[in-house]
């Protein structure tokens, strides 16, 4: 594996880990904000003007994003572990796209 491939892989992992850290902090902030909503409002969502539902939707999106990041980081780890030649760039080639017939 050449130095550029390793730098690219390390850069991707570093950026994904930084994004994961930021999203985890955002999730903690959202959890705190959701927990601060008075109980009467969480029982009757009409009093929040949709704010509580908006916070819950954001929380769901953050969980989804974090799961995707973990999946990509796991895939990168698997690729680098299973590449006996150290050719990460060759092993991590994108899957070919199949051209299909348009629906319309």
């Amino acid at each position: 594996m050449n130095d550029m491939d390793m730098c690219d892989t390390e850069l991707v992992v570093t950026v994904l880990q930084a994004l994961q850290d930021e999203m985890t902090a955002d999730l903690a902030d959202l959890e705190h904000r959701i927990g601060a909503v008075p109980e009467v409002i969480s029982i009757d969502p009409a009093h929040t003007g949709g704010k509580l539902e908006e916070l819950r939707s954001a929380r769901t999106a953050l969980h989804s994003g974090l799961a995707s990041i973990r999946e990509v980081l796991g895939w990168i780890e698997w690729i680098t572990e299973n590449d006996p030649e150290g050719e990460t760039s060759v092993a991590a080639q994108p899957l070919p796209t199949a051209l299909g017939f348009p629906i319309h």
Side-chain angles (χ1 to χ4, degrees), residues 49-68:
K51 187 67 174 173
L52 185 58
E53 294 310 311
E54 183 180 313
L55 292 172
R56 287 179 176 161
S57 293
R59 177 177 59 187
T60 300
L62 282 170
H63 276 292
S64 176
L66 286 167
S68 295

Side-chain angles (χ1 to χ4, degrees), residues 26-98:
D26 288 345
L27 182 60
D29 179 56
L30 270 175
E31 292 291 353
H32 175 72
R33 291 170 61 190
I34 290 170
V37 173
E39 188 174 324
V40 69
I41 292 176
S42 62
I43 293 171
D44 185 7
H47 286 92
T48 65
K51 187 67 174 173
L52 185 58
E53 294 310 311
E54 183 180 313
L55 292 172
R56 287 179 176 161
S57 293
R59 177 177 59 187
T60 300
L62 282 170
H63 276 292
S64 176
L66 286 167
S68 295
I69 290 171
R70 284 190 297 271
E71 186 174 347
V72 171
L73 288 172
W75 178 78
I76 291 171
E77 182 179 337
W78 181 79
I79 288 293
T80 56
E81 286 177 358
N82 289 316
D83 184 12
E85 302 290 321
E87 298 289 334
T88 304
S89 64
V90 174
Q93 292 295 318
L95 295 173
T97 56

